[in-house]
């Protein structure tokens, strides 16, 4: 055998050997089967350091790449970037989702100029494909510097517990994966790279193939749970059994966002009463980002409104909280997907306007019998309009609460809101599921044409 043939044989063996990068692709694709692209692509005397492939995820076609840290520590080289770029080009041509599995210490220090150019080119590819096909990033190991920006440009980022996602190292942060979910950089943290790939698989299966495809349809079971006191119980009682996948659970903790199915079809779920706290800056960013994701792929958004409104104090004002509130309102107002809102409790002032009001372009708005819809917080209304009745009260707090309840009954009831055209109908809590099913069905043909423009300039 010639030296050249020996080289080819060695190259073939190297390209087909087992590695963490290859194993991660088997976790992602159905039955662990995939077709590899450019397996012999070289970077100098080594392989490219990334495995690119296509296959099926829940019987739907998907492109993927998995960085191989065993080859030059997964360094981003020109050849490495070209392989990933090819994946994005093919996805753009075919309208097929992309999953990127990240595990690399960064750019190739032996040729930094080419590596930096490659990163910029890939960022452009990812950004141009954003909103066209779903993109899921899985941080399975180290994802640093420009690679972190690349991963965060995806629609959703999932991180394994051992994963590290950062632009610059910070010795004061001991658990980078937990930090990523707490600050909203990642939508979920998983115990292992296998579980992270499996979650990516679940998310891809719930999203449409591209921005022109209908939402996926599945067989489903009716919910067995009854009751709707908070976000989790509302979801369990309204949507298909065991269908909800919560996202950003550790970020913006007063709110709840999830992909679920209703009658077998994917919907986005937003609820504002995961806790009794008012909506924070994190909640606003979390909900706005989620609504924009759903809108990009025409996934209907169902919003459960039960909140006293937005946090408002000296600290939030100093931090420019109104910017985050405006971002949330803009995300709803701009979205053209089906938007249904159900007021299940408190809906005061700006919170009602942003999440359920006609100004937010809500298609249909419902309220349960115990909902309270008011331009002012009832306690604030009492201070302004019934202050004289508080004078001389032996228990000022009890008297204020009594007057607030009276104000809700007389001025902020669900029936009064319906009479004034703020909501379309008042429904029983037990009828929410059927009402939403009927509403999505009747709204299925929704078509909206916005003013011609390059893009909106929402607060970020």
């Amino acid at each position: 055998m010639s030296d050249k043939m020996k080289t080819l044989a060695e190259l073939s063996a190297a390209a087909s050997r087992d590695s963490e990068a290859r194993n991660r692709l088997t976790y992602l694709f159905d039955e662990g089967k995939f077709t590899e692209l450019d397996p012999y692509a070289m970077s100098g005397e080594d392989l490219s350091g990334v495995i690119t492939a296509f296959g099926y995820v829940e019987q739907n076609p998907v492109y993927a790449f998995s960085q191989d840290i065993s080859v030059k520590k997964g360094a981003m080289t020109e050849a490495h970037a070209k392989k990933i770029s090819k994946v994005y080009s093919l996805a753009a041509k075919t309208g097929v989702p992309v999953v990127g599995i990240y595990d690399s210490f960064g750019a190739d220090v032996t040729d930094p100029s080419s590596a930096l150019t490659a990163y910029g080119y890939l960022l452009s590819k990812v950004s141009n494909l954003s909103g066209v096909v779903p993109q899921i990033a899985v941080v399975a190991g180290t994802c640093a510097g420009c690679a972190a920006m690349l991963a965060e440009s995806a629609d959703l980022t999932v991180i394994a517990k051992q994963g590290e996602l950062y632009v610059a190292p910070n010795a004061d942060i001991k658990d980078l994966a937990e930090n990523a979910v707490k600050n909203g950089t990642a939508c979920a943290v998983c115990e292992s790279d296998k579980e992270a790939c499996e979650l990516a698989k679940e998310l891809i299966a719930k999203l449409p193939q591209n921005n022109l495809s209908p939402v996926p349809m599945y067989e489903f079971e009716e919910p067995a749970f009854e009751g709707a006191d908070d976000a989790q119980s509302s979801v369990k009682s309204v949507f298909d059994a065991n269908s909800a996948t919560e996202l950003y659970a550790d970020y913006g903790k007063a709110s709840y966002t999830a992909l679920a199915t209703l009658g077998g079809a994917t919907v986005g779920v937003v609820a504002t009463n995961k806790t009794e706290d008012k909506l924070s800056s994190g909640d606003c960013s979390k909900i706005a980002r989620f609504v924009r994701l759903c809108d990009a792929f025409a996934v209907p958004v169902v919003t459960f409104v039960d909140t006293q409104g937005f946090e408002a104090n000296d600290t939030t004002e100093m931090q420019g909280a109104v910017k985050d509130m405006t971002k949330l309102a803009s995300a709803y107002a701009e979205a053209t997907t089906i938007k249904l809102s159900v007021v299940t409790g408190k809906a005061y002032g700006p919170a009602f306007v942003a999440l359920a009001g006609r100004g937010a372009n809500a298609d249909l708005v419902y309220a349960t019998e115990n909902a309270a819809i008011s331009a002012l917080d009832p306690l604030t209304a009492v201070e302004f309009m019934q202050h004289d009745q508080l004078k001389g009260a032996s228990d000022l707090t009890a008297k204020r609460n009594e007057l607030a309840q009276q104000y809700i009954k007389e001025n902020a009831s669900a029936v009064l809101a319906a009479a004034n055209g703020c909501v379309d109908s008042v429904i029983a809590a037990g009828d929410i599921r059927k009402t939403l099913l009927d509403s999505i069905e009747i709204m299925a043909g929704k078509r909206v044409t916005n003013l011609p423009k390059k893009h909106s300039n929402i607060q970020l």
Side-chain angles (χ1 to χ4, degrees), residues 15 20 60 88 94 125 133 190-191 197 201 250 314 342 347 371 383 439:
E20 284 186 324
N60 295 308
Y88 282 106
T94 56
K125 285 263 187 175
V133 301
C190 300
E191 286 296 317
C197 290
K201 186 171 184 171
D250 295 318
D314 291 345
V342 183
E383 288 290 348
S439 299

Side-chain angles (χ1 to χ4, degrees), residues 76-343:
M76 176 67 74
T77 62
E78 187 175 357
H80 187 127
K82 283 182 176 179
K83 286 186 70 172
I84 297 176
S85 176
K86 184 175 180 177
V87 164
Y88 282 106
S89 295
L90 290 169
K93 290 178 183 178
T94 56
V96 170
V98 177
V99 176
I101 304 174
Y102 291 85
D103 190 3
S104 167
F105 280 91
D108 180 12
V109 294
T110 64
D111 190 7
S113 296
S114 295
L116 291 175
T117 299
Y119 271 126
Y121 186 59
L122 288 178
L123 280 167
S124 175
K125 285 263 187 175
V126 172
S127 297
N128 287 335
L129 203 56
S130 179
V132 179
V133 301
Q135 299 180 54
I136 308 295
V138 176
V139 179
T142 300
C143 184
C146 293
M149 293 192 294
L150 196 61
E152 193 58 16
S153 296
D155 294 301
L156 295 166
T157 302
V158 178
I159 190 168
K161 197 170 184 178
Q162 74 273 16
E164 298 181 346
L165 180 63
Y166 58 87
V167 173
N170 188 329
D172 293 332
I173 301 175
K174 303 302 181 184
D175 193 330
L176 289 167
E178 286 295 332
N179 183 64
V181 294
K182 286 180 180 178
N183 64 27
T185 306
C187 70
V189 62
C190 300
E191 286 296 317
S192 66
D193 56 351
K194 181 178 181 180
E195 289 187 15
C197 290
E198 289 172 346
L199 177 55
K201 186 171 184 171
E202 182 179 341
L203 295 172
I204 282 289
K206 282 184 174 172
L207 290 169
Q209 279 279 286
N210 54 60
N211 62 337
L212 299 178
S213 298
V215 296
M217 292 290 297
Y218 297 95
E219 294 183 359
F220 65 94
E221 295 181 11
E222 295 282 337
F225 187 86
E226 294 184 5
D229 295 330
D230 55 28
Q232 284 91 340
S233 61
S234 295
V235 170
K236 288 180 181 179
S237 64
V238 172
F239 299 95
D240 300 340
N242 304 313
S243 70
T245 302
E246 185 177 2
L247 304 173
Y248 301 103
D250 295 318
Y251 176 61
K253 293 188 176 182
S255 58
Y256 175 98
T257 53
L259 290 172
T261 62
L262 181 65
T266 299
V267 296
V269 183
V270 176
T272 62
N273 60 344
K274 186 174 179 180
T275 69
E276 295 182 356
D277 299 316
K278 291 185 177 182
L279 298 177
S280 66
S281 171
D283 290 300
C284 293
S285 295
K286 165 182 173 175
I287 297 172
R289 168 75 167 161
F290 181 72
V291 169
R292 287 172 65 83
L293 167 65
C294 292
D295 185 52
F297 299 106
V299 175
V301 176
V302 177
T303 304
F304 293 98
V305 185
D306 180 11
T307 176
Q308 293 186 53
F310 303 104
E311 276 187 347
N313 51 49
D314 291 345
T315 301
T316 58
E317 289 304 316
M318 288 178 64
Q319 294 174 346
V322 67
K323 182 174 69 173
D324 298 300
M325 300 173 196
T326 304
K327 175 168 56 180
L328 172 61
S330 296
Y332 270 96
E334 186 182 38
T336 58
T337 190
I338 298 170
K339 293 175 290 186
L340 307 176
S341 295
V342 183
V343 182

Side-chain angles (χ1 to χ4, degrees), residues 16 20 65 67 405:
S16 61
E20 284 186 324
F65 64 85
Q67 292 183 310
Q405 290 302 312

